[in-house]
Amino acid sequence: RSSDLCSLGGGKMAGSENRLVCLPMTRIKVIMKSSPDVSNINQDALLLTTKATELFVQYLATYSYKHGTGKQKRELTYDDLSKTAEESDTFQFLADILPKKISLSEYLRLLKNEEEGGDNEEVVNEVEIDVDGDNAEAEEIGRA
């Protein structure tokens, strides 16, 4: 099953340990080295971290698919991932990384209420505007 996922990615793997993982180990190493506390990374630690990352992403995708609305269309959607991060205690730490999308008009309404000193349960601190044709959406980044 893991080999099926690797073939979907289209990545070519060289070396015996790279056959065990699908994600590019060099990318994982760059992410690990971005921490100021890390200077050297043991190859075994890199391999285990890469494999753990793969398993985590696979579990998140499977859980989101099983509990999401995209199942009817046989697809995993961003909304499914966002809903999982918002509603599951296990994935709650991803809520800031996978924020729920809101419409631009909803964001502007929340922003106006915030400026007027209104009490909102959810206050948007920053947004990322995502324009798809005529449909503009804003992603909620911060929550108060």
Side-chain angles (χ1 to χ4, degrees):
R1 184 174 160 126
S2 178
S3 61
D4 293 341
L5 294 174
C6 290
S7 64
L8 290 175
K12 296 188 178 188
M13 295 170 282
S16 61
E17 65 263 349
N18 284 350
R19 291 183 208 157
L20 300 174
V21 295
C22 299
L23 293 176
M25 291 176 60
T26 53
R27 297 279 184 163
I28 301 298
K29 188 174 186 176
V30 167
I31 293 169
M32 291 172 72
K33 282 197 162 205
S34 69
S35 171
D37 299 333
V38 176
S39 57
N40 292 324
I41 299 170
N42 179 316
Q43 279 300 108
D44 292 337
L46 178 60
L47 176 64
L48 290 173
T49 301
T50 304
K51 189 63 180 178
T53 303
E54 276 183 20
L55 293 173
F56 171 76
V57 170
Q58 186 177 15
Y59 180 66
L60 171 63
T62 302
Y63 184 95
S64 298
Y65 179 78
K66 285 181 180 177
H67 294 89
T69 59
K71 197 157 93 171
Q72 291 86 15
K73 298 178 191 174
R74 295 183 49 93
E75 66 184 13
L76 178 62
T77 65
Y78 179 87
D79 290 337
D80 294 337
L81 293 168
S82 177
K83 182 179 175 191
T84 295
E86 187 177 326
E87 296 178 358
S88 169
D89 290 339
T90 303
F91 298 108
Q92 185 66 45
F93 72 98
L94 294 173
D96 291 341
I97 297 168
L98 295 168
K100 182 178 109 181
K101 286 188 176 187
I102 62 172
S103 67
L104 183 57
S105 59
E106 177 70 11
Y107 166 70
L108 293 174
R109 185 186 63 73
L110 288 172
L111 189 61
K112 183 178 178 182
N113 282 350
E114 183 181 341
E115 288 172 356
E116 293 173 355
D119 293 329
N120 293 325
E121 280 188 31
E122 295 183 72
V123 178
V124 178
N125 297 327
E126 299 177 33
V127 295
E128 179 180 316
I129 303 298
D130 183 23
V131 180
D132 295 332
D134 295 331
N135 185 15
E137 295 180 340
E139 291 185 12
E140 176 187 345
I141 301 296
R143 294 186 181 126

